[in-house]
Amino acid sequence: MDKNLSGEDNDDIDWDTEDELEIQEIQDTVFSSCTDLRTTGQHVVCCDGEASSSSVPFRSKFIQQFVVMGFPEESIAKAIEQNGENSDLVLDSLLTFKVLTVRSLMPIVLYLALDDSPEEQPSVSPPLEPSISSDDSASEYNENVLDNVYEEDSWSSDSDNYINTVKQCYLNDEGSSLSEKEKMLLFLANMGYPAEEASIAMDRCGPKASLPELVDFICAAQMSRAEDPYLLEDVKPNLKDISNDCGGYKKRKMYNELCKQKKQREISSEEPIRLPKPMIGFGIPTESVPRMVQRILPEKTIGPPYFYYENVALAPKGVWDTIKRHLYEIEPEFVDSKYFSATARKRGYLHNLPIENRFPLFPLPPRTIHEALPLSKRWWPSWDTRSKLNCLQTAIGSARLTDKIRKAVEKYDGEPPMEIQKYVLYHCKKWNLVWVGRNKVAPLEPDEVEMLLGFPKNHTRGGGISRTDRYKSLGNSFQVDTVAYHLSVLRDLFPNGINVLSLFSGIGGAEVALYRLGVPLSNVVAVEKSEVNRNIVRSWWEQTNQRGNLIHFEDVQLLSRDRLKKLIESLGGFDLVIGGSPCNNLAGSNRVSRDGLEGKDSSLFFDYVRILDDVKSIMARHR
């Protein structure tokens, strides 16, 4: 963090956002030995179902590293017998043993938890303040979790009565009427976790999340809050107590170190696509001397139909290699939109468009924060050295956070201490907060986000669309100026109009880019699942008096070869197939299901490939 807060050149301001790499992978979620469920005599039954005694015999150094992490000796010995003294293989086996054991003991553990008398049950601790993490890699996901857990109003003060009611149903043999979520909620509450935290963890981790995943999620949030140096002493939790409750900081640190070493060895054994620095693709309009780029396209991809695919640049390892392999081994073009606008947006673009004679949109958009938001300059403190905003997200900073920042800054007549500056700048950069008054920050308004992304004012307004939907739709859209620079070569190629197949069309970033470039839109077939987004595009189409035809479909998975064939026959084919499949399972902020292209949403990339192949083959036959 210190590096980014030192006031260096704004090119170094690459704060982690929805598409940044995570320092720590999802392996953390398996760490489940964090809570004792029941104590009997001198032995403790833990989450892994093993009994551990207070007497610990001498262990070898190799065995000790796993004992410290909370694994029982019997499991360690079994894993070593199967795999030898290989740390990686032993660790994988131990994690497998743990998951299987927890699943097998769930009915027993649930019975024990329900059998406790009220005197024996652990008390539910009150909510704590949200954290102010000092970790550079903190993501949108973590911030949302903490805000939701401790600012959510949906749980009333009667939540404990709800838990008692659910428990009574079990005791009255009415448990069969409870849903799986209610059963798990009851179980977590009896383990001592607040109902609010348990509910948020279950919502965030998904309906299929296991007990270890839920427990680790809650513990991670508690440990994060404990590290907050700015919370008032009367509400700040005790780090030592939380560490002990959650299996111990030492165990987590040891586990993370082993995972980190394993990951480094895996990375060194492969050479995936490397992101360029600076991230300017095959050139940008602000270069004084254009870069000479030689790009050889496979013969079968030269010429129309042109295609253009976009997704987050900082995807999990191997994702862009897979994308490249399925799209004719064409080299991706990685571009950060901070070279085109006042906000960053790191994206990869894979296409067969020409790269000569590109030109930008005019008038050129503002390139700095103060050019884009001139009224903020009056209130901007000298110690906030930002000149660019970070990637615009699908959510905004909470009112509680902005009020907390105001209170932290206004205590001082002059510049606040360095620790307060770091705290404020961290959240300002993370949430793109701007100064709107003396000691007062606020999130960007939707119309400001529209301007920064290159959309016309009020593009997402009207038709009953909420502010939340506006932020979500804009956060998932193209940065129009960046995309328009790449598409600018189409203006001379299609002066009489272009037929576009726009997959995952969102709020029409591709259509807006082509329209602003002066490319007539003859026919646009837009495929978009969100009704809100479809309404936005339809409204823009009508307001700009487009003369062509707009045809909407809801689901790319239902766009079959037969339907494509009929569209091609009626429209005369497609000149451009454009789109970016969902990045849900690729973005760095997703700690729960960052599964790459195998994820539920991001696997729709393969529908883009399928549709593109069908369009090319059908049009080749028509020729």
Side-chain angles (χ1 to χ4, degrees):
M1 175 181 284
D2 293 338
K3 176 181 178 183
N4 286 327
L5 295 172
S6 61
E8 296 175 1
D9 186 280
N10 59 55
D11 283 353
D12 292 330
I13 300 178
D14 288 333
W15 282 73
D16 294 329
T17 56
E18 64 176 9
D19 57 355
E20 292 295 332
L21 288 173
E22 296 293 335
I23 289 178
Q24 195 163 307
E25 294 292 345
I26 283 178
Q27 294 102 317
D28 256 357
T29 58
V30 191
F31 191 84
S32 58
S33 61
C34 56
T35 305
D36 297 336
L37 298 181
R38 192 174 180 88
T39 304
T40 308
Q42 294 182 347
H43 292 75
V44 180
V45 179
C46 302
C47 289
D48 55 11
E50 300 287 346
S52 62
S53 174
S54 59
S55 61
V56 181
F58 175 78
R59 305 174 179 86
S60 69
K61 185 177 179 180
F62 183 78
I63 296 177
Q64 180 66 24
Q65 66 178 336
F66 298 105
V67 173
V68 171
M69 293 166 59
F71 294 108
E73 284 190 72
E74 295 83 356
S75 298
I76 298 172
K78 183 178 179 181
I80 294 175
E81 181 180 352
Q82 292 180 357
N83 304 283
E85 294 194 2
N86 184 311
S87 298
D88 294 341
L89 296 177
V90 170
L91 179 60
D92 289 340
S93 297
L94 289 172
L95 294 175
T96 302
F97 295 160
K98 182 177 291 295
V99 173
L100 294 176
T101 305
V102 169
R103 289 177 178 174
S104 65
L105 288 180
M106 277 293 293
I108 299 174
V109 174
L110 184 58
Y111 172 79
L112 292 174
L114 292 170
D115 192 46
D116 285 343
S117 64
E119 293 78 11
E120 294 174 329
Q121 291 186 27
S123 61
V124 178
S125 59
L128 302 173
E129 290 283 336
S131 76
I132 304 166
S133 173
S134 61
D135 183 1
D136 261 5
S137 67
S139 65
E140 168 196 341
Y141 177 82
N142 289 335
E143 186 67 20
N144 284 341
V145 169
L146 294 174
D147 282 348
N148 287 340
V149 169
Y150 298 105
E151 296 181 40
E152 189 68 49
D153 295 329
S154 60
W155 278 85
S156 69
S157 59
D158 296 329
S159 58
D160 290 341
N161 294 335
Y162 172 76
I163 295 297
N164 292 333
T165 302
V166 176
K167 177 180 177 181
Q168 194 61 42
C169 290
Y170 258 107
L171 297 178
N172 294 338
D173 291 331
E174 297 178 7
S176 59
S177 63
L178 296 178
S179 66
E180 291 298 323
K181 181 176 181 179
E182 290 172 328
K183 293 177 184 178
M184 184 64 77
L185 182 63
L186 173 60
F187 179 47
L188 290 170
N190 278 279
M191 290 172 64
Y193 295 110
E196 296 91 339
E197 296 187 34
S199 177
I200 293 297
M202 294 171 69
D203 290 340
R204 292 290 181 177
C205 295
K208 296 183 180 180
S210 63
L211 174 66
E213 291 175 324
L214 295 172
V215 169
D216 188 71
F217 182 97
I218 298 173
C219 293
Q222 291 177 342
M223 293 179 70
S224 179
R225 292 195 305 277
E227 296 172 357
D228 185 353
Y230 302 100
L231 293 181
L232 300 177
E233 290 300 323
D234 58 339
V235 297
K236 182 175 179 179
N238 186 292
L239 177 59
K240 183 177 180 181
D241 292 343
I242 290 180
S243 298
N244 291 337
D245 290 342
C246 292
Y249 176 75
K250 188 175 181 181
K251 295 179 182 180
R252 183 177 293 276
K253 185 176 180 181
M254 178 73 76
Y255 172 80
N256 292 341
E257 281 298 318
L258 285 175
C259 291
K260 184 177 179 181
Q261 294 173 9
K262 178 180 179 181
K263 184 178 179 182
Q264 288 174 344
R265 285 194 292 271
E266 289 175 348
I267 292 175
S268 63
S269 64
E270 296 184 19
E271 288 295 331
I273 291 178
R274 296 188 179 277
L275 301 180
K277 191 174 182 179
M279 200 176 288
I280 59 176
F282 301 140
I284 56 177
T286 54
E287 282 187 305
S288 55
V289 180
R291 296 195 314 161
M292 298 301 296
V293 177
Q294 292 185 348
R295 188 171 74 139
I296 302 176
L297 295 174
E299 185 176 351
K300 63 181 179 180
T301 66
I302 297 175
Y306 293 104
F307 61 89
Y308 186 89
Y309 176 81
E310 178 261 11
N311 217 313
V312 294
L314 296 170
K317 185 181 72 174
V319 165
W320 276 103
D321 294 283
T322 303
I323 294 173
K324 173 184 173 181
R325 186 168 63 252
H326 282 83
L327 291 177
Y328 316 109
E329 296 292 341
I330 296 175
E331 289 296 327
E333 180 174 13
F334 294 104
V335 183
D336 191 337
S337 293
K338 69 182 180 181
Y339 298 108
F340 290 83
S341 66
T343 183
R345 207 173 191 79
K346 299 179 178 69
R347 294 293 185 267
Y349 305 92
L350 200 151
H351 59 84
N352 66 338
L353 294 168
I355 59 175
E356 298 82 14
N357 302 319
R358 292 169 162 180
F359 58 89
L361 280 176
F362 290 99
L364 293 176
R367 302 296 177 92
T368 65
I369 296 174
H370 295 322
E371 289 177 5
L373 307 169
L375 296 180
S376 67
K377 189 173 183 179
R378 175 184 176 186
W379 308 108
W380 211 271
S382 59
W383 44 270
D384 186 344
T385 58
R386 288 178 295 162
S387 63
K388 299 277 188 179
L389 294 167
N390 284 315
C391 187
L392 300 177
Q393 306 172 16
T394 57
I396 60 172
S398 66
R400 180 175 181 177
L401 173 63
T402 57
D403 187 57
K404 197 172 182 181
I405 290 174
R406 178 185 60 79
K407 291 177 180 178
V409 176
E410 69 181 6
K411 293 180 181 179
Y412 307 94
D413 294 331
E415 291 187 359
M418 185 59 67
E419 287 188 356
I420 299 298
Q421 291 182 25
K422 289 181 178 180
Y423 157 57
V424 173
L425 285 175
Y426 169 73
H427 285 289
C428 285
K429 292 179 178 181
K430 180 185 180 69
W431 291 100
N432 285 316
L433 304 177
V434 295
W435 298 91
V436 296
R438 182 176 176 80
N439 302 325
K440 184 179 178 182
V441 295
L444 296 166
E445 291 295 321
D447 59 328
E448 294 172 331
V449 178
E450 288 171 343
M451 178 266 296
L452 290 164
L453 291 175
F455 289 94
K457 187 175 182 179
N458 294 327
H459 182 73
T460 58
R461 188 177 183 180
I465 298 171
S466 67
R467 283 171 58 89
T468 300
D469 284 335
R470 293 181 71 185
Y471 285 118
K472 183 177 180 181
S473 296
L474 287 163
N476 288 321
S477 71
F478 285 156
Q479 204 291 322
V480 173
D481 300 278
T482 308
V483 173
Y485 181 66
H486 299 159
L487 300 181
S488 61
V489 296
L490 297 174
R491 190 173 72 176
D492 293 335
L493 294 174
F494 300 98
N496 298 321
I498 189 171
N499 287 349
V500 180
L501 175 56
S502 181
L503 305 177
F504 318 101
S505 63
I507 58 174
E511 292 87 328
V512 172
L514 291 167
Y515 172 69
R516 291 187 60 193
L517 286 167
V519 181
L521 298 172
S522 300
N523 297 286
V524 173
V525 176
V527 188
E528 170 56 39
K529 193 170 186 178
S530 167
E531 183 179 2
V532 168
N533 291 345
R534 294 198 303 272
N535 291 338
I536 290 172
V537 174
R538 188 178 297 108
S539 175
W540 170 82
W541 189 271
E542 295 170 354
Q543 291 174 15
T544 52
N545 298 316
Q546 298 292 327
R547 296 183 179 181
N549 300 307
L550 174 64
I551 304 171
H552 261 130
F553 289 97
E554 293 185 15
D555 195 342
V556 293
Q557 293 180 303
L558 300 180
L559 196 58
S560 64
R561 183 181 178 89
D562 289 340
R563 183 166 290 180
L564 285 169
K565 185 176 180 180
K566 292 178 181 179
L567 287 170
I568 290 172
E569 289 174 349
S570 63
L571 302 178
F574 293 108
D575 305 306
L576 174 67
V577 179
I578 190 170
S581 55
C583 64
N584 303 37
N585 308 116
L586 307 182
S589 61
N590 188 346
R591 288 178 175 268
V592 177
S593 58
R594 195 175 186 228
D595 303 323
L597 294 175
E598 290 74 32
K600 177 183 177 182
D601 297 308
S602 295
S603 62
L604 292 174
F605 159 73
F606 297 104
D607 282 286
Y608 178 94
V609 175
R610 170 185 63 81
I611 292 171
L612 175 61
D613 286 342
D614 285 345
V615 169
K616 289 175 68 69
S617 64
I618 294 171
M619 289 183 62
R621 291 182 181 179
H622 275 265
R623 292 195 189 99

